[in-house]
Amino acid sequence: SLGFAHFNFTAPSDVSYYVWNASGNQVTCSVQGFTFFMGMFSGLFYSCSLNLYSLAVVKYNKSDGYIHNKVEPFLHGVPIAFALIVNITLLAKQNLNDTGGRNCYAPIYRPPHWIGYEDGQTRDGFNIPCGRGHDGAVLFYYVNGLGTLFIAPLVIGFSLWMIRRSVLNQENNMASYGANNFTASAQQPDRSNSRVVLHRAIVYSVSYFLAWGSFTIGACFTVANLEWPIAVKYLANTFVP
C-alpha cells in the first residue's frame, strides 16, 4: 500500500499532460515501482511462509525452539531475498516505468506521446526514451506470472491440504484407540481439529483471493499485453496489501 501512497508526485513530469500532480522523474518512478514490487513479492511469499509454519507445527510436530532456530530464518529470508533479487533485476533491466496511470510498475514505457516514434527515441521536450524496458519485458512477464499465478497459490493450497489431511489422520488414529470421545467432549460439536483447519483454510483462501485475486487477473492482462479493465484496477488498488 505504501507504493500507492504518493498522490502521483512520483510519476515522471513527462506524463504531466495527462497525469495529475506528476512532478517526478525516472528516479522517483523507479523508487515507487521498487517499493511496490518489494511489498508485492515479499507479501506473496510471506503468505506461503505462514502456511509452511503451520505445516511444520501440525504435520511434522516441530517444537518452537526448532522452528525458531532452523525454520524461521528461511520463512523470513526467502521472501525478502526473492523480492530483492527480482527488484534489482527489474531495476537493472529498466522495467520500472510509468503505467500511463500514475503508477510505476509497467514493464515497457509507452505513454501516449510514444505514438509515431520507435523504441529508444526521445521526443523533443521529453526526457525518457520511448519503449524503455522493452529488452527486459519478457523476464518481467515470466517472473510476475510465475510468482503470482503459480508458486504462491500452489504452495498455499498444497500446504493447507497437507495440514487438513494430517489432522484427519490424527483424528482417525485417536478414534481407533477410543480417544475420540475425549476429543469430542473437549470441543464444540462439529468443531474437531480437522474442521477448525478446514474453516481456517476457507477463510484464508477467501482473504488471499480478496488481496491478490484482482491483481492476479490484472497480471494475466499484462502478460497478454492488454489494458487492465477499470474494475480490476479499482479492486487491485483497494485490496492489494
Side-chain angles (χ1 to χ4, degrees):
S1 298
L2 181 62
F4 290 126
H6 50 76
F7 298 99
N8 302 351
F9 75 86
T10 59
S13 58
D14 278 10
V15 298
S16 61
Y17 63 93
Y18 70 96
V19 175
W20 173 79
N21 200 34
S23 53
N25 52 33
Q26 184 55 53
V27 174
T28 59
C29 184
S30 296
V31 170
Q32 189 259 321
F34 193 97
T35 304
F36 170 78
F37 279 116
M38 190 69 193
M40 189 193 85
F41 283 111
S42 61
L44 279 173
F45 287 95
Y46 259 116
S47 297
C48 298
S49 293
L50 290 172
N51 283 55
L52 294 176
Y53 171 83
S54 300
L55 185 65
V57 173
V58 175
K59 180 174 177 58
Y60 297 104
N61 296 317
K62 298 300 182 181
S63 65
D64 290 341
Y66 181 92
I67 293 175
H68 178 73
N69 295 320
K70 302 292 185 180
V71 179
E72 215 170 280
F74 293 97
L75 298 181
H76 293 293
V78 171
I80 295 173
F82 183 86
L84 281 173
I85 292 172
V86 170
N87 272 283
I88 291 172
T89 303
L90 295 178
L91 191 64
K93 301 297 287 185
Q94 299 184 338
N95 289 132
L96 300 176
N97 301 296
D98 183 75
T99 61
R102 75 182 173 83
N103 292 308
C104 297
Y105 52 79
I108 304 174
Y109 179 67
R110 286 176 176 167
H113 64 261
W114 168 79
I115 299 173
Y117 287 79
E118 300 292 332
D119 289 347
Q121 292 182 326
T122 303
R123 186 169 180 171
D124 292 340
F126 296 89
N127 299 312
I128 304 172
C130 299
R132 183 181 186 273
H134 183 271
D135 293 339
V138 174
L139 175 65
F140 172 88
Y141 292 141
Y142 276 111
V143 171
N144 192 38
L146 189 66
T148 59
L149 304 181
F150 295 102
I151 295 180
L154 286 176
V155 171
I156 291 173
F158 186 70
S159 59
L160 286 173
W161 174 78
M162 290 185 67
I163 292 170
R164 182 178 182 276
R165 185 169 178 266
S166 175
V167 174
L168 284 174
N169 289 336
Q170 292 175 14
E171 288 186 345
N172 290 335
N173 291 334
M174 293 174 65
S176 65
Y177 287 101
N180 197 45
N181 292 331
F182 174 78
T183 304
S185 64
Q187 303 186 28
Q188 297 295 327
D190 296 325
R191 293 290 290 176
S192 63
N193 288 340
S194 62
R195 293 296 177 183
V196 172
V197 175
L198 175 61
H199 295 161
R200 186 178 300 168
I202 294 173
V203 171
Y204 194 82
S205 298
V206 170
S207 64
Y208 175 85
F209 178 79
L210 285 175
W212 295 105
S214 56
F215 186 86
T216 301
I217 295 172
C220 294
F221 279 90
T222 300
V223 171
N225 201 25
L226 298 173
E227 181 71 17
W228 285 34
I230 188 65
V232 175
K233 288 183 179 180
Y234 277 114
L235 288 172
N237 279 272
T238 302
F239 290 107
V240 171

